[in-house]
Amino acid sequence: MLLEVLMVAGVLLLAVPALALGARGVLRRSGHYSSDVAADRASLVLLVTIRSLTLLLVFLLSAVVLVSAVGAVVRDVEMPSLVSVFFVLDLLLVALVLLTFGRRDRRRARRRATPAGR
């Protein structure tokens, strides 16, 4: 029962915020841009597609883990071992999202006022 509760807490504390941050960062683009407009558009479409599929996979794995873990706690039955594999895969994908396109933008450093101007 402790494992199921830890799985539910892990999904709620890590996967749900990663989904929210990742959904905000799907269309954001950083890095170098190509001078060719068609290549730039194709790379953007590929990037958005891969990010969307990753978020969809995180959502589906989180839903399966939550339903299975809550059902195992409520019904007091043994949870299938494949759910633990899904949970680990979900955590790995959450780490991928948070470390790549789910990060917040860095704020630009403010310029310091020069004391000579005062």
Side-chain angles (χ1 to χ4, degrees):
M1 178 157 150
L2 179 64
L3 182 65
E4 290 89 356
V5 172
L6 287 175
M7 287 177 143
V8 169
V11 167
L12 291 179
L13 292 176
L14 294 174
V16 174
L19 282 170
L21 290 172
R24 265 191 357 198
V26 166
L27 295 175
R28 190 175 21 172
R29 188 150 179 215
S30 62
H32 302 288
Y33 297 102
S34 175
S35 61
D36 184 18
V37 176
D40 194 40
R41 185 176 302 133
S43 66
L44 180 64
V45 167
L46 184 66
L47 191 68
V48 169
T49 303
I50 290 173
R51 287 178 177 178
S52 300
L53 287 175
T54 304
L55 286 177
L56 179 68
L57 189 59
V58 168
F59 176 74
L60 292 175
L61 286 172
S62 298
V64 167
V65 169
L66 275 177
V67 167
S68 299
V70 170
V73 169
V74 169
R75 291 286 190 147
D76 198 30
V77 295
E78 186 178 342
M79 191 174 53
S81 61
L82 190 59
V83 176
S84 301
V85 174
F86 286 167
F87 177 67
V88 171
L89 181 61
D90 191 27
L91 289 182
L92 289 173
L93 286 173
V94 163
L96 175 78
V97 168
L98 289 177
L99 292 174
T100 54
F101 60 94
R103 290 185 295 176
R104 295 182 182 204
D105 287 334
R106 293 183 196 155
R107 289 189 169 189
R108 294 187 180 205
R110 293 181 56 168
R111 288 183 152 187
R112 301 175 94 189
T114 59
R118 293 185 190 172

